[in-house]
Amino acid sequence: MIRRNLTYVLSLALLALGTSLWAQDSDKQGDRKDLRHDRRDLAKDRKDIRGDKRDLNKDRADRNKDRRDVNKDQRDLSKDRKELHQEVKEGDKAGAAKARADIRHDKKDLNHDKRDLRADNRDINKDKKDLHADRQDRNKDKKDIRHDKRDIRRDNHGK
């Protein structure tokens, strides 16, 4: 009876040791797989960050161009109003009509440029938020890589 119980206990201990070793090996494989996945994510995040920076710089350049265009249109509108006032003062009806048409055209162009400027500012803000989120994701991936390396090192040393 004691021999039989002793063999059961020994076989149970051997089985437990085998499963713990097998579980440890599968944990190493899982950690290595996680490490590869996190490195791939990190590379994608870096690529996305570079793209977002490029897009942000293009949007800023477009916004600056639109600002210059708005300022130019405002100066042109002011000049056309002075011309209209001068032609009305002189009594030149044909010149005044032409100046009014030019003022209408300049106002339309100015409104279009202001709308474009607002859209560019919205794009810049959205790109900044996206860039921030990508940087946070990159930092999380770096942290995950550190943890996976630590887990692999612990598994190799049996801790």
Side-chain angles (χ1 to χ4, degrees):
M1 177 103 162
I2 292 178
R3 286 185 194 171
R4 191 171 10 162
N5 287 340
L6 187 60
T7 57
Y8 287 150
V9 170
L10 287 175
S11 63
L12 190 60
L14 186 62
L15 186 62
L17 180 66
T19 55
S20 68
L21 289 174
W22 178 76
Q24 191 174 20
D25 286 340
S26 66
D27 189 38
K28 281 184 197 178
Q29 290 172 352
D31 289 339
R32 286 188 181 119
K33 188 175 182 179
D34 287 344
L35 183 61
R36 280 193 308 272
H37 181 70
D38 289 336
R39 284 182 176 159
R40 210 173 296 129
D41 282 347
L42 183 61
K44 287 179 185 176
D45 290 338
R46 286 180 176 155
K47 189 175 185 180
D48 194 27
I49 287 171
R50 282 192 301 271
D52 288 343
K53 283 182 180 180
R54 252 185 262 116
D55 190 33
L56 193 57
N57 288 335
K58 286 179 184 177
D59 287 341
R60 285 178 177 153
D62 191 32
R63 177 193 59 188
N64 293 341
K65 186 181 123 216
D66 289 337
R67 275 189 187 160
R68 285 190 295 270
D69 200 22
V70 165
N71 290 337
K72 179 185 148 288
D73 289 343
Q74 286 175 339
R75 284 190 306 268
D76 191 34
L77 187 61
S78 176
K79 185 180 89 172
D80 289 340
R81 284 180 177 154
K82 286 178 186 176
E83 287 177 10
L84 174 65
H85 181 69
Q86 187 66 29
E87 288 171 358
V88 167
K89 189 176 178 182
E90 293 174 358
D92 184 11
K93 290 183 180 181
K98 186 177 176 184
R100 284 188 186 101
D102 196 24
I103 287 173
R104 280 193 302 275
H105 179 266
D106 288 344
K107 281 184 177 181
K108 184 178 177 182
D109 189 36
L110 181 64
N111 288 334
H112 180 268
D113 291 337
K114 284 182 178 180
R115 189 177 315 120
D116 196 24
L117 184 62
R118 283 191 301 272
D120 289 338
N121 282 328
R122 275 193 306 272
D123 286 344
I124 286 171
N125 287 332
K126 287 179 183 178
D127 288 342
K128 281 182 180 179
K129 287 180 183 180
D130 187 35
L131 185 61
H132 179 71
D134 289 339
R135 285 179 173 154
Q136 283 184 327
D137 192 30
R138 178 196 60 191
N139 292 340
K140 286 179 184 177
D141 287 338
K142 284 182 177 181
K143 185 178 178 181
D144 287 343
I145 287 171
R146 283 193 309 271
H147 287 289
D148 290 338
K149 285 181 178 180
R150 187 188 63 214
D151 288 344
I152 290 171
R153 193 169 43 250
R154 284 182 178 170
D155 290 341
N156 286 337
H157 293 298
K159 291 182 180 182

